[in-house]
Amino acid sequence: AQSVTQLDSQVPVFEEAPVELRCNYSSSVSVYLFWYVQYPNQGLQLLLKYLSGSTLVKGINGFEAEFNKSQTSFHLRKPSVHISDTAEYFCAVSDAGTASKLTFGTGTRLQVTL
Amino acid sequence: DAGVIQSPRHEVTEMGQEVTLRCKPISGHNSLFWYRQTMMRGLELLIYFNNNVPIDDSGMPEDRFSAKMPNASFSTLKIQPSEPRDSAVYFCASTRGYEQYFGPGTRLTVT
C-alpha cells in the first residue's frame, strides 16, 4: 500500500516570493508521482508528473518539482508566486505497475497575498 | 474536447431520498474514477472502472452507495437512502493512461 504525506496544511506567502510545498510518500514498489491544483469550486487539474528520467520535472504555470528517491520526496517549487496561484495543491502517487489508481495527500492550501 | 461532464452541479435533497450523480468521461478514455471530497476526510477514492468493469470498490462507504458504468460514455453513482453525512463534493475523473482528468464536481447537500 502507498501513502502520501503533505506536512503543511496551509502555506501563506507574499506575492513574488518563492514557495516550496512539501510532499513525502511511502511505497514498497516503483512509483509515479503527481501534483494537482484545485482552484475554488473547480475540479483538480494536473500541474506536473514524474514517470521516469530526469528527476527535475517542469509543469504548467512556472511550477517545478524534484523527485528524490532516497528521501522519498517530491517537493513542489515556484521561484515567484502570483496572487492567481492561490489554490489547494495535492500530491499524489501511483504504483508504476497499475498506473491509473492514485493515492492523494491531504492537500496544502497556498495563500498568496500582496 | 468538452472534458469530463458531471450533472447535476448542485444537488440538495432531504435525508432518506435517493440521489443519482452522473458522469460522462472524455471520449476514448478507458478508466473512470469516482471520488468524494470533504473537509474532514479530504479526497477519497470510492470506486474505479476499467473498460466499464468495476475494478476496486473498496472505498464505497456502505451498501447505500452503488455505481454503474453501462457503457464507455456514461457512469452513475447512486446513494439510497441518503444521509446528512453524505454531504460532500463528488468528483468523476477519467484517464487513458497516467493523467486523470477531473470533472467540475457535484456538490451534494443532504438535509
Side-chain angles (χ1 to χ4, degrees):
Chain A
Q2 298 146 339
S3 65
V4 177
T5 301
Q6 293 182 248
L7 288 172
D8 305 307
S9 60
Q10 295 187 60
V11 174
V13 63
F14 290 111
E15 191 175 40
E16 298 184 3
V19 70
E20 177 180 85
L21 305 183
R22 296 180 294 169
C23 172
N24 288 87
Y25 70 92
S26 173
S27 177
S28 58
V29 299
S30 296
V31 297
Y32 295 147
L33 294 156
F34 306 81
W35 275 99
Y36 281 81
V37 60
Q38 184 180 29
Y39 300 103
N41 300 313
Q42 294 186 28
L44 279 69
Q45 177 185 357
L46 184 69
L47 268 181
L48 48 80
K49 60 182 181 286
Y50 172 79
L51 305 180
S52 65
S54 173
T55 57
L56 183 62
V57 179
K58 294 187 183 298
I60 62 172
N61 300 340
F63 285 93
E64 63 181 32
E66 186 158 18
F67 170 56
N68 187 319
K69 188 174 182 179
S70 62
Q71 297 187 4
T72 60
S73 67
F74 190 55
H75 301 332
L76 181 70
R77 302 185 182 96
K78 187 170 182 178
S80 176
V81 296
H82 298 277
I83 291 285
S84 59
D85 292 324
T86 295
E88 191 88 17
Y89 291 79
F90 293 91
C91 182
V93 63
S94 71
D95 178 345
T98 55
S100 288
K101 183 179 176 182
L102 295 175
T103 300
F104 284 89
T106 52
T108 297
R109 169 75 176 170
L110 177 62
Q111 182 68 50
V112 182
T113 56
L114 294 172
Chain B
D1 194 331
V4 176
I5 298 173
Q6 291 188 249
S7 64
R9 292 294 310 276
H10 301 273
E11 177 79 35
V12 180
T13 190
E14 293 184 346
M15 181 174 63
Q17 296 298 305
E18 177 180 297
V19 175
T20 299
L21 311 181
R22 296 172 176 81
C23 175
K24 177 179 170 54
I26 294 173
S27 177
H29 284 192
N30 61 349
S31 295
L32 183 140
F33 302 78
W34 282 101
Y35 293 91
R36 177 172 68 177
Q37 186 178 40
T38 61
M39 289 292 292
M40 292 297 294
R41 301 174 68 91
L43 196 63
E44 303 173 276
L45 175 65
L46 299 178
I47 184 172
Y48 80 95
F49 297 83
N50 195 35
N51 294 322
N52 312 337
V53 176
I55 302 300
D56 183 354
D57 65 354
S58 59
M60 296 286 262
E62 47 198 279
D63 292 345
R64 298 185 296 107
F65 286 70
S66 62
K68 294 182 179 179
M69 192 165 186
N71 56 62
S73 59
F74 184 66
S75 178
T76 60
L77 178 68
K78 184 178 294 186
I79 308 172
Q80 166 63 22
S82 58
E83 296 182 3
R85 60 192 167 122
D86 301 330
S87 297
V89 180
Y90 291 81
F91 289 103
C92 173
S94 70
T95 181
R96 189 174 51 195
Y98 308 116
E99 179 178 349
Q100 291 192 15
Y101 293 80
F102 281 74
T106 295
R107 183 174 297 275
L108 173 65
T109 303
V110 183
T111 60

